[in-house]
Amino acid sequence: MDLRTRTSLFCGALALAIAVSILLRGRLRRAQILFAAFAADVGLWYLAQWLYLFVRADVWARFTAVLAVLLPQFGLHLFEAIVPSQKRPALLRVAGALLILMLILVLSPQQGEGWARGAVFLYVFGLLTAGLWSLLRRGNQSASRAVQRRVRFLVLIGALAAVFTLADFLWFIGAPLPPVGAVLSIVFLFVLSESMIRRRLVDLYDTLGQLLVSTALAFCLAGIFYVCVVLIGAFDTMYLAAILALIVILVLFEPLREKVDSYIHKAFFRERVDLERAVGKARTELVHTLQIEAMQQVVLSALEASHRVTGAALYLRDPVGDVFELGAAFGPTAPPRLDRASARPLVDRLEKWTSVVLEEVAAEASELREAGRASEAEADERVLAAAEVLGPFKKGVCLAVRSESRDVVGVMVIVDDRMQDAFSPDEVALLEALALQIGVVVENSRQYRRMQERDRLAALGQMAAGMAHEIKNPLGAIKGAAQLLSEPDTQSRLQASDREFLSIIVEEVDRLDRVVGAVLHYARPNPGEIGPVDVNAVIKRTLLLLASDHAAQGNFETDLEEGLPLARADAELLRQILINLVRNAVESAPSDSTVDISSRRRARADGGAWVEIAVRDRGPGIAPHVVKDLFVPFFTTKPKGTGLGLAISRRIVEDMAGLIEVSSQEGQGATFTVLLPVAEDPLLAPRFEAPRADPAASAGSGASAPSASEAEPAVPAGEPLTRPL
């Protein structure tokens, strides 16, 4: 058999295999059945061609002509099934009339004449061209951009398949061409079959790209083999030439494949190439990035510059783990935060998987519903319901940003609203690598901040040691001299203004001594005695102490959860924190307003539990630009404040393995929340017993002063907490 005969057999078998594979896909749609008929017609046409070339019987020539006449009929009905018309197109009626005439012609004795074959040629490719044009026009009229892009893709592939089939069909009218067109027509027939079963357009692009790379590579390698064996070698040296060809192929295969893949992707997948370039540039810059703000700028600028996405948002998890706060975004308006409770199914899936393509989840849920697997479909539907909190990003790709311990510390959401199923698996994998590096930057940034804090504390400790010697001793001398001048036998010789100045000296020396003490306390805090503590008892005892402090008296409301587990803390230090928080709340709120103190059990993200203490005032609130600096040492908005109150409180809480956080809106007050870990052994006795009387039992009535036997003097440790007014 010659080359064309063998090629016809090969292509016919492949076309029939493609048709059978479509029919074995399970539930079939009309378009898939028509495509299977179209592919079977092509396969039988090539097999009839093979039989005609092999046995040279006229019956197979007629059979080939009949199959050629039927081919555009299947094609036109297939195009109509892909994008249906509201009424039967005139093209189908014309094709039906021409079918009868063409069948009469190919079955007549004149079918072997040149003019008859030319008429069949024009009939076949004229109708296929008209059908593709009609399909393109109907697709462009669709309101869905996804349908428009899909139809354009199908028309392009169909046109390429028709062109190569046309080149191969020319042998039917006597043109002596090699059967290259037959092989390429089968390649594009396979791409069309994939378009019948794949919903994602990007998957079709991937399939086309892989086929183009493989086909181009195959032709290159065949050319190398042909040159080495046929042109260079002869019959006597055929084996040597074949070995030479194989060596050349092995040497050139990898670089040739990479070069062909690069050229084809640049020509057909420019957007993906731009995305790869942008992500690669971003990852290079992130290697040298330590600041969260700089990281966000690098990532979002790269994605926006790639023109591959229309919107992106990056959320980072707060230290407590219940809320993901929006760091940066572009494109559609992103929600300012993601509450873990409302988005739990989505976050849980991100904890298991690196990414979640929400459109794929929707398609999978629909398929599971159709297959009767309701429980599995409900799991996907819960994820989709949770994704509603993403607003305009609810159909995008969600990527998990993980820490070194594999915890989800952030979520990046990317969307392309220009099309459905916008991102291919390769692109998602590319974005997953970017999200992984974002997690590295977040982890490094937190480690860097801890190192800065440690270095600052070390420097502050050295300074505090010097202050203790260089400042406190002279202060003692100044105060002693002022007190000596203030003794009764001396005061009689002083004027009233002099006595006033002496009292100011003593008062300011005391204040400066407290400042130095606060610095020493912050630099070298007392670790305390950590153990199980009854938080409710500490709160009640603290309110009793504050009742005797005129600077902190106010109206209190308490909401203490009964049966609260014991917390792991130091009761004395916890009382110091509460005194400062309550004093600040009283100072920040109007004189007749109420301060709320509450306690409750709070779940942790890792499955454990916190004991939560919240102090809420009803004052003017804290400005957003002030909140970020509240815990910075020496930051204050008070004329006489030291700015160490909150910094000391945070150090104490963190030394007890807890957290302190603040939430505020201007005009609606502020809430400071202390989170302490639950004690490991809840059966241990608390270190504080609750007092017999609760001064805050009457809501809004204020704390009554205890008797002398009950009250303890308030021991303010350091300056009261700094609060903006």
Side-chain angles (χ1 to χ4, degrees):
M1 291 189 294
D2 61 2
L3 180 60
R4 174 168 291 281
T5 304
R6 291 193 296 268
T7 302
S8 298
L9 176 61
F10 173 75
C11 292
L14 284 180
L16 288 177
I18 291 172
V20 172
S21 69
I22 290 293
L23 296 175
L24 295 177
R25 292 287 179 175
R27 298 180 59 181
L28 298 176
R29 302 189 302 272
R30 182 170 179 268
Q32 291 175 318
I33 295 174
L34 287 171
F35 179 82
F38 181 84
D41 188 282
V42 173
L44 292 174
W45 186 77
Y46 277 115
L47 289 179
Q49 185 182 138
W50 166 69
L51 288 171
Y52 171 75
L53 295 171
F54 189 67
V55 300
R56 295 292 177 178
D58 183 64
V59 63
W60 295 115
R62 289 182 182 274
F63 191 56
T64 302
V66 171
L67 291 171
V69 169
L70 294 176
L71 186 65
Q73 301 295 326
F74 290 124
L76 292 178
H77 284 84
L78 172 62
F79 301 154
E80 176 64 22
I82 292 174
V83 181
S85 302
Q86 295 181 354
K87 58 182 180 179
R88 182 179 174 83
L91 184 60
L92 288 180
R93 295 195 296 269
V94 172
L98 291 176
L99 172 63
I100 299 175
L101 295 176
M102 289 296 106
L103 286 176
I104 294 174
L105 178 61
V106 298
L107 294 177
S108 67
Q110 288 80 20
Q111 66 88 19
E113 301 292 334
W115 65 269
R117 293 189 175 189
V120 173
F121 179 84
L122 292 176
Y123 158 81
V124 172
F125 290 98
L127 285 182
L128 287 177
T129 302
L132 287 172
W133 175 256
S134 177
L135 174 62
L136 179 62
R137 188 174 60 183
R138 292 197 305 272
N140 289 335
Q141 293 173 352
S142 173
S144 171
R145 283 180 293 180
V147 172
Q148 293 176 8
R149 294 174 66 92
R150 188 179 185 87
V151 167
R152 290 169 190 166
F153 174 83
L154 294 176
V155 170
L156 173 63
I157 300 303
L160 291 173
V163 167
F164 289 112
T165 304
L166 171 63
D168 189 58
F169 194 83
L170 292 176
W171 79 272
F172 190 66
I173 58 177
L177 295 175
V180 175
V183 176
L184 293 177
S185 65
I186 295 300
V187 169
F188 289 108
L189 185 68
F190 171 74
V191 176
L192 284 175
S193 72
E194 292 296 301
S195 71
M196 294 293 105
I197 59 178
R198 293 181 184 267
R199 296 181 178 181
R200 289 168 47 91
L201 190 60
V202 288
D203 290 343
L204 298 179
Y205 287 160
D206 284 342
T207 302
L208 175 61
Q210 292 170 7
L211 282 175
L212 288 176
V213 171
S214 301
T215 303
L217 190 62
F219 276 99
C220 291
L221 298 180
I224 294 173
F225 194 83
Y226 178 80
V227 170
C228 292
V229 175
V230 177
L231 299 183
I232 298 178
F235 182 79
D236 296 336
T237 60
M238 182 174 293
Y239 292 109
L240 180 61
I243 293 173
L244 175 63
L246 291 176
I247 292 174
V248 172
I249 289 173
L250 289 174
V251 171
L252 296 180
F253 179 79
E254 281 300 325
L256 190 61
R257 181 187 63 80
E258 293 177 0
K259 187 63 68 175
V260 170
D261 183 71
S262 173
Y263 282 133
I264 288 179
H265 276 76
K266 287 181 180 179
F268 291 93
F269 308 101
R270 184 169 299 276
E271 286 187 343
R272 177 181 297 180
V273 172
D274 292 341
L275 180 63
E276 291 175 352
R277 186 182 298 113
V279 170
K281 180 181 178 182
R283 295 188 64 186
T284 301
E285 294 182 14
L286 289 179
V287 172
H288 308 286
T289 303
L290 282 176
Q291 299 297 329
I292 297 293
E293 294 77 9
M295 175 270 293
Q296 294 171 346
Q297 180 67 24
V298 168
V299 171
L300 295 185
S301 297
L303 292 176
E304 189 172 12
S306 72
H307 303 293
R308 182 62 186 86
V309 301
T310 58
L314 180 59
Y315 294 88
L316 296 179
R317 191 176 189 173
D318 69 352
V320 181
D322 289 337
V323 177
F324 292 87
E325 297 286 349
L326 178 64
F330 73 89
T333 303
R337 64 182 55 84
L338 299 180
D339 189 352
R340 183 184 177 89
S342 58
R344 182 171 294 278
L346 177 60
V347 177
D348 289 346
R349 184 157 294 193
L350 284 174
E351 288 179 347
K352 297 178 182 178
W353 299 350
T354 307
S355 64
V356 175
V357 183
L358 294 172
E359 284 189 315
E360 286 186 359
V361 174
E364 181 181 355
S366 177
E367 292 177 357
L368 291 173
R369 280 289 179 189
E370 292 179 0
R373 298 157 65 181
S375 59
E376 298 178 38
E378 288 174 358
D380 288 338
E381 289 166 356
R382 283 193 291 270
V383 173
L384 296 175
E388 291 292 329
V389 301
L390 297 174
F393 292 87
K394 63 183 179 181
K395 293 185 178 179
V397 179
C398 298
L399 301 149
V401 177
R402 299 184 184 277
S403 65
E404 187 177 355
S405 59
R406 304 298 298 166
D407 295 328
V408 177
V409 296
V411 176
M412 184 166 65
V413 190
I414 295 175
V415 68
D416 184 354
D417 56 13
R418 297 170 296 181
M419 68 182 82
Q420 293 180 344
D421 302 321
F423 299 98
S424 68
D426 289 342
E427 290 172 328
V428 173
L430 194 67
L431 295 171
E432 287 176 351
L434 179 61
L436 178 64
Q437 193 149 356
I438 292 173
V440 172
V441 174
V442 172
E443 188 76 12
N444 290 344
S445 174
R446 292 177 177 175
Q447 293 286 351
Y448 181 65
R449 285 200 301 269
R450 283 193 285 267
M451 290 173 59
Q452 285 183 316
E453 179 72 14
R454 186 168 59 248
D455 293 343
R456 183 167 61 247
L457 290 176
L460 187 60
Q462 294 177 355
M463 182 187 71
M467 288 176 61
H469 181 269
E470 299 295 334
I471 297 179
K472 290 182 74 70
N473 290 339
L475 284 178
I478 294 171
K479 184 177 179 179
Q483 288 175 336
L484 183 62
L485 291 174
S486 301
E487 290 182 354
D489 57 343
T490 308
Q491 280 190 358
S492 61
R493 298 193 300 270
L494 297 177
Q495 298 180 2
S497 59
D498 295 334
R499 289 194 296 271
E500 182 179 355
F501 289 147
L502 288 174
S503 64
I504 292 175
I505 291 173
V506 173
E507 181 181 347
E508 291 302 313
V509 167
D510 289 338
R511 190 174 72 86
L512 187 57
D513 186 67
R514 289 196 300 271
V515 171
V516 175
V519 173
L520 288 171
H521 192 182
Y522 178 73
R524 299 176 179 178
N526 178 15
E529 298 180 9
I530 304 299
V533 172
D534 184 347
V535 167
N536 287 345
V538 173
I539 293 174
K540 296 174 182 178
R541 187 65 171 174
T542 302
L543 293 179
L544 279 174
L545 294 175
L546 289 173
S548 62
D549 186 354
H550 296 288
Q553 286 184 1
N555 299 323
F556 302 119
E557 286 188 2
T558 58
D559 181 14
L560 308 181
E561 182 178 309
E562 297 294 335
L564 200 65
L566 301 180
R568 181 181 178 274
D570 178 88
E572 292 290 343
L573 296 177
L574 178 58
R575 185 173 63 177
Q576 174 187 333
I577 295 170
L578 289 174
I579 289 173
N580 288 331
L581 290 177
V582 173
R583 278 179 174 172
N584 258 15
V586 171
E587 293 174 3
S588 299
S591 58
D592 58 345
S593 65
T594 302
V595 175
D596 301 309
I597 302 99
S598 63
S599 67
R600 68 183 181 96
R601 180 188 178 96
R602 177 168 166 180
R604 293 173 52 157
D606 58 5
W610 298 108
V611 175
E612 175 186 292
I613 307 170
V615 178
R616 176 178 178 268
D617 65 60
R618 303 181 186 182
I622 308 174
H625 68 278
V626 174
V627 172
K628 63 184 181 66
D629 295 324
L630 281 178
F631 297 100
V632 176
F634 304 109
F635 174 81
T636 180
T637 59
K638 289 184 177 182
K640 295 186 178 181
T642 63
L644 287 172
L646 275 177
I648 292 173
S649 296
R650 186 176 68 171
R651 284 214 63 190
I652 294 173
V653 172
E654 290 179 349
D655 287 343
M656 294 188 291
L659 296 170
I660 184 169
E661 58 184 16
V662 58
S663 61
S664 176
Q665 293 185 1
E666 290 189 83
Q668 300 184 16
T671 302
F672 283 82
T673 304
V674 177
L675 300 173
L676 299 171
V678 173
E680 294 181 357
D681 187 1
L683 298 179
L684 293 177
R687 297 174 60 203
F688 270 92
E689 294 295 335
R692 297 181 180 180
D694 183 3
S698 301
S701 61
S704 59
S707 64
S709 60
E710 294 174 329
E712 293 180 13
V715 183
E719 186 77 1
L721 294 182
T722 301
R723 286 286 302 276
L725 297 176

